[in-house]
Amino acid sequence: MDAAPQAPRKALVACQLDDDPSSEWITRRDAITRLAAVVGTAALGEGLGEVSSMQVTRHRVPVRGLTAPIRAVQISDLHRSWCVSQQFVAQAVDMAMAQMPALILLTGDFVTRSSRYMPSCTQELSRLHAPLGIYAVLGNHDYVCDDHTGAPVIQRHLRDIGVPVLTNTSTRLQNGLWLVGADDSREGWPDDVAAFEKVPANAPVIAMTHNPTYFRKMRDHACLTITGHTHGRQINIPGLTQLIIHSGTPWIAGWYRSGLSPGRLYVCRGLGVIGIPLRINAPPEIAVFDLTPA
C-alpha cells in the first residue's frame, strides 16, 4: 500500500511555502516573522495563547453510497520542531481520541525541517487507534526536511507504527468506504488519475491530499477532499496578512466548492506552526467529520 516517494521537485510561487534560508524568494517563515514584528507585543501575547488552545470543529457530511454512519478525525500539520513540543503532539492525540473516531486521517507535515523530530512525533501518534484504521499522506515539509531527502524517513517512521501512506493510491475499508490519497502538489508528484484508478464508479469515497491547491484536479471527482497546509494563514490579520504572505491558493480554511464541479473541499487549519510559535485568528484545529449515508 505504501509507495516510495519519487524524487522531490520544487516550484516557486510568489511566496515560497518552505523554509529554505538560501532562497532568493521570501519564505513563509520569514514572512510570518516579519508580520509578527508588525503586529507588536500585545498581539504576540494573544497569539501565543491561541497556539495552545486547540479547537475541535464538527461537520456532518452526507456521502453517496455509504451504508452506515462513520466518524472520521483529521489531524494535520503537526510540524514537530523546536517550537512544537512533543507535549503539544500528545495533547492533540488525546483530543483526537476523545472524539471516539472510527477512522483517523493524517494529512501531512509531521515535521518542519528535520526528521530527527519524527521519533518523538510517532511516539505520540502510536497511541492513536481506530476500528477502520489510520492513514496518512505526506506534506511538502515531509519532503523538504533533511535538505530534501527526508520523505523516505518520514514514511518509514509512519509505517513502523502501522500507518500506511497513501501516495496516489486508494484502499477499500472494511465497511465499503474507499479512501484515496494524492501526493503533495508542491514537492511530490500528485496523480489523481492513478489515485482513483481502482475506485469503482458510484462508490463512497473520501480523498485526502496535503495542499488544497491540488483541488483544481480533485474537484472533478464526486467526493469530499480534505487538506491542510495553509494553517488558516497562521497569522490572519484581514487586509494585512494577504499583502505579505501569498498562499498560492484561494482555499485557506473551511468549506469550498468550485463552480459546477461535483467535488467538495475542506481545508483544515492544522495544529502546529512554522517559523515562530504564533497564531492569530487561526487557532489550531482538529476536524471531526460525521459521515452519513446520503
Side-chain angles (χ1 to χ4, degrees), residues 8-11 17-20 79 109 111-115 138-152 154 184 186-188:
R9 58 175 178 165
K10 196 162 190 168
L17 301 188
D18 57 57
D19 47 4
D20 175 6
H79 281 286
D109 276 4
V111 299
T112 299
R113 300 191 68 187
S114 173
S115 67
L138 297 185
N140 57 302
H141 281 272
D142 301 320
Y143 278 98
V144 303
C145 71
D146 299 350
D147 195 22
H148 291 80
T149 65
I154 302 302
D184 176 66
R186 276 192 54 81
E187 302 293 341

Side-chain angles (χ1 to χ4, degrees), residues 38-85:
V38 172
V39 170
T41 304
L44 178 63
E46 177 186 349
L48 285 172
E50 200 169 84
V51 167
S52 60
S53 56
M54 296 181 194
Q55 291 185 355
V56 174
T57 61
R58 304 183 186 279
H59 315 275
R60 184 179 179 274
V61 183
V63 177
R64 182 188 61 187
L66 195 65
T67 58
I70 304 168
R71 172 165 288 184
V73 167
Q74 180 189 9
I75 296 175
S76 194
D77 295 86
L78 285 165
H79 281 286
R80 174 77 178 95
S81 64
W82 70 270
C83 62
V84 178
S85 68

Side-chain angles (χ1 to χ4, degrees), residues 36 39 53 68-69 72 81 101 119 135 142 150 155 157 222 227 236 252 259 262 265 268-269 287 292-293:
V39 170
S53 56
S81 64
Y135 296 87
D142 301 320
Q155 186 159 289
H157 280 291
T227 68
N236 186 20
I252 302 301
L265 171 68
C268 178
R269 295 188 305 268
T292 61

Side-chain angles (χ1 to χ4, degrees), residues 6-20 23 25-28 77 109 138-144 148 182-191 209-216 228-230 246-249 274:
Q6 301 185 41
R9 58 175 178 165
K10 196 162 190 168
L12 290 176
V13 295
C15 173
Q16 282 189 319
L17 301 188
D18 57 57
D19 47 4
D20 175 6
S23 170
W25 294 69
I26 184 172
T27 66
R28 185 166 65 169
D77 295 86
D109 276 4
L138 297 185
N140 57 302
H141 281 272
D142 301 320
Y143 278 98
V144 303
H148 291 80
D183 204 5
D184 176 66
S185 61
R186 276 192 54 81
E187 302 293 341
W189 297 91
D191 186 339
T209 190
H210 177 68
N211 193 324
T213 299
Y214 199 60
F215 187 58
R216 294 185 175 97
H229 180 65
T230 67
H246 175 53
S247 65
T249 175
I274 61 170

Side-chain angles (χ1 to χ4, degrees), residues 28 32 35 43 46-57 76-77 88 229-238 241 245 252-254 266-274 276-286:
R28 185 166 65 169
I32 289 173
L35 184 55
E46 177 186 349
L48 285 172
E50 200 169 84
V51 167
S52 60
S53 56
M54 296 181 194
Q55 291 185 355
V56 174
T57 61
S76 194
D77 295 86
F88 180 85
H229 180 65
T230 67
H231 302 191
R233 291 198 173 104
Q234 189 169 319
I235 300 175
N236 186 20
I237 302 173
T241 301
I245 304 174
I252 302 301
Y266 188 78
V267 184
C268 178
R269 295 188 305 268
L271 289 160
V273 294
I274 61 170
I276 188 170
L278 173 64
R279 277 180 177 257
I280 295 175
N281 294 327
E285 174 189 11
I286 291 174

